[in-house]
């Protein structure tokens, strides 16, 4: 019997030991990339990328990454494909997965990517949904480890919207053993069910703070995101008012640990969720964070298609 296909639809889909493997493998892949060494483990494999929302980093990191692994890429958008003319997601999944080896989707509801995966013959990767952004958190954790060593036992402060990034950070904290402080305005809280590994809020390991400065106290990493995520644009004006005190600034960074890092998945709006002083300052690692999307996703695609690879990891 063929083993079930492995998908990556949310952070909770992998165990801690799989993350340990992936992070080590990504470090190896990054070193080889920097040394201009070929790493063609996915020769002749094809990645289909489906974007139902805009993207810069996800598009470039998956596309460049797949070519660097020796494979090729097909890029689809909803407007440019029959998805925009109401072809059912199940039929799209059946067709695309007969012609390609792996699929990355950026879409709206998590239920939509889950439905695609149900009808796909090949692994499916979540490139962002309304609920989760697992590839980004994988890159963020890789970046933290590069700069500061293991993340277990550390404290991450999430400041801003209780969105796809916040839910994914909460899942990662429960899986990888770090503490998550979350501060959101009233009405924009993290949904405990989405944030939990068990899907019913039963393993809640993060703590809510009404005051964003209190959430940053003693943090090893302070991180934030846009006040209005893609798909929520109609709420923009209301959100600008509600989030006014959730701008990561020098006062917030001052109560974090002196060696605290700042991260933002980007794109950023200087003067809204973060000041220019912080995002362009010495504690910010946002450019490494963006670059690392590519290295971790190369490890992820390789793992989903080939499983664990023996080899040098040191
Ligand atoms: N951080 C991130 O996913 O960026 P893009 O929207 O540009 O892909
Ligand atoms: N939370 C943001 C992340 C963008 C990469 C959004 O969903 O738009």
């Amino acid at each position: 019997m063929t083993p079930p296909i492995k998908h990556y639809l949310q952070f909770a889909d992998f165990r801690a030991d799989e993350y340990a493997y992936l992070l080590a493998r990504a470090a190896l892949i990054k070193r080889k990339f920097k040394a201009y060494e070929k790493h063609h483990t996915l020769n002749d494999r094809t990645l289909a990328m489906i974007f139902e929302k805009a993207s810069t980093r996800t598009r470039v990191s998956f596309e460049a990454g797949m070519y660097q692994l020796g494979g090729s890429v097909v890029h689809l958008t909803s407007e440019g494909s029959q998805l925009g003319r109401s072809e059912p997601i199940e039929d799209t999944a059946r067709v695309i997965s007969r012609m390609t080896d792996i699929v990355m989707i950026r879409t709206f509801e998590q239920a939509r990517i889950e439905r695609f995966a149900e009808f796909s013959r090949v692994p499916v990767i979540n490139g962002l949904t309304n609920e989760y952004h697992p590839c980004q958190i994988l890159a963020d954790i890789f970046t933290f480890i590069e700069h500061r060593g293991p993340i277990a036992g550390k404290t991450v402060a999430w400041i801003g919207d209780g969105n796809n990034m916040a839910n994914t950070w909460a899942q990662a904290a429960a899986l990888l053993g770090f503490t998550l402080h979350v501060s959101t305005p009233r009405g924009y809280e993290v949904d405990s069910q989405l944030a939990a590994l068990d899907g019913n809020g039963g393993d809640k390991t993060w703590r809510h703070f009404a005051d964003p400065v209190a959430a940053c106290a003693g943090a090893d990493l302070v991180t934030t995101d846009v006040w209005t995520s893609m798909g929520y644009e109609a709420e923009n004006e209301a959100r600008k008012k509600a989030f006014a005190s959730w701008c990561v600034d020098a006062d917030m960074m001052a109560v974090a640990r002196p060696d605290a890092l700042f991260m933002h998945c980007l794109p950023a709006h200087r003067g809204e969720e973060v000041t220019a002083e912080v995002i362009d300052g010495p504690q910010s690692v946002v450019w490494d964070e963006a670059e690392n999307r590519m290295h971790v996703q190369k490890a992820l695609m390789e793992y989903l298609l080939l499983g664990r690879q023996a080899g040098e990891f040191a």
Side-chain angles (χ1 to χ4, degrees):
M1 225 177 80
T2 43
I5 303 159
K6 225 171 164 45
H7 301 295
Y8 192 55
L9 306 182
Q10 54 180 294
F11 205 86
D13 285 347
F14 287 173
R15 301 179 309 265
D17 69 286
E18 293 179 287
Y19 281 111
Y21 167 80
L22 272 178
L23 293 162
R25 186 72 181 170
L28 170 84
I29 287 172
K30 180 171 181 176
R31 274 200 306 279
K32 290 180 76 174
F33 172 78
K34 296 289 177 188
Y36 295 96
E37 274 180 51
K38 272 203 179 77
H39 186 78
H40 283 182
T41 48
L42 296 185
N43 252 330
D44 299 331
R45 305 289 182 113
T46 305
L47 164 72
M49 305 189 296
I50 304 173
F51 285 98
E52 301 207 273
K53 291 176 176 171
S55 168
T56 297
R57 279 145 288 271
T58 304
R59 164 93 194 259
V60 176
S61 56
F62 269 104
E63 186 156 342
M66 191 55 170
Y67 284 123
Q68 290 163 21
L69 291 169
S72 58
V73 180
V74 177
H75 173 248
L76 291 170
T77 60
S78 18
E79 308 80 57
S81 69
Q82 299 292 5
L83 275 169
R85 297 178 63 249
S86 306
E87 180 165 18
I89 196 82
E90 300 87 327
D91 293 358
T92 308
R94 287 176 172 117
V95 170
I96 291 178
S97 70
R98 281 180 179 235
M99 302 181 200
T100 62
D101 300 283
I102 187 163
V103 180
M104 187 287 305
I105 310 182
R106 166 167 288 193
T107 187
F108 293 87
E109 298 78 24
Q110 184 72 12
R112 192 162 163 81
I113 196 171
E114 281 168 6
R115 188 103 181 116
F116 188 103
E118 194 183 332
F119 288 86
S120 173
R121 289 184 169 190
V122 302
V124 178
I125 297 173
N126 182 344
L128 182 146
T129 57
N130 291 348
E131 289 86 348
Y132 299 115
H133 198 2
C135 293
Q136 184 67 55
I137 301 304
L138 187 56
D140 293 6
I141 289 168
F142 181 84
T143 307
F144 183 88
I145 294 169
E146 261 191 334
H147 284 267
R148 295 286 181 265
I151 197 164
K154 296 287 199 296
T155 298
V156 175
W158 174 265
I159 307 301
D161 192 14
N163 63 11
N164 42 13
M165 286 287 294
N167 294 334
T168 312
W169 269 116
Q171 288 195 336
L175 254 163
L176 303 181
F178 58 89
T179 300
L180 184 69
H181 291 177
V182 174
S183 182
T184 67
R186 202 188 293 268
Y188 298 95
E189 291 89 355
V190 164
D191 176 328
S192 296
Q193 296 200 343
L194 292 174
L197 295 178
D198 69 358
N200 64 23
D203 53 16
K204 181 176 164 183
T205 53
W206 47 276
R207 198 172 145 206
H208 180 83
F209 290 75
D211 174 9
V213 180
C216 292
D220 298 278
L221 167 63
V222 177
T223 183
T224 187
D225 186 11
V226 292
W227 290 341
T228 303
S229 285
M230 291 180 278
Y232 298 83
E233 289 79 4
E235 300 173 14
N236 200 25
E237 287 314 308
R239 284 173 171 266
K240 275 190 177 169
K241 290 195 187 85
F243 283 79
S245 301
W246 277 262
C247 172
V248 176
D249 59 13
D251 292 342
M252 290 190 199
M253 294 307 293
V255 298
R257 283 178 54 94
D259 66 346
L261 298 174
F262 171 78
M263 289 190 199
H264 188 310
C265 62
L266 306 175
H269 301 89
R270 289 167 177 79
E272 291 191 12
E273 73 273 8
V274 61
T275 61
E277 185 186 11
V278 169
I279 195 169
D280 299 319
Q283 289 168 280
S284 173
V285 290
V286 296
W287 314 122
D288 288 347
E289 183 187 359
E291 176 190 327
N292 285 334
R293 286 288 302 277
M294 185 174 81
H295 307 303
V296 298
Q297 289 161 192
K298 285 166 75 177
L300 173 66
M301 289 190 283
E302 198 190 71
Y303 181 58
L304 289 171
L305 286 172
L306 307 177
R308 289 188 196 221
Q309 301 299 290
E312 351 91 77
F313 284 120

